[in-house]
Amino acid sequence: MLRILYFAWLRDRLGTPGETLPLQVGAHSVQDLIDQLRARGGAYGEIFAKPELIRVAVNQSFATIDAPIAANDEIAFFPPVTGG
């Protein structure tokens, strides 16, 4: 199982702070998970249609969409952080 967390406007648009999902057969990267989420359609389809607009962390470490994932990982999606 994967623990998926959503922050800021992603949480607001999806209506949930997170969820637990099984790791699909053949899924080995964050990109594979993004594809799975986008395939749900609706708000998921809209949000994950442009993954370059989303940041990700795997097990609380910043990651890229080609980062590997495995069962029992925590994947967090959040908007880019800007400084000022």
Side-chain angles (χ1 to χ4, degrees), residues 4-75:
I4 314 298
L5 303 174
Y6 306 109
F7 292 93
W9 63 263
L10 289 94
R11 177 184 55 225
D12 296 340
R13 292 277 313 276
L14 296 173
T16 183
E19 58 189 310
T20 302
L21 295 175
L23 181 62
Q24 286 191 339
V25 174
H28 302 288
S29 69
V30 171
Q31 181 64 61
D32 295 332
L33 176 60
I34 288 172
D35 293 343
Q36 176 185 349
L37 293 169
R38 183 176 49 238
R40 290 177 161 182
Y44 287 92
E46 293 171 17
I47 289 170
F48 292 104
K50 295 183 180 179
E52 66 273 10
L53 301 179
I54 299 170
R55 300 297 175 256
V56 64
V58 177
N59 297 323
Q60 300 182 6
S61 293
F62 288 109
T64 59
I65 62 170
D66 61 345
I69 59 172
N72 300 314
D73 280 350
E74 177 187 88
I75 315 297

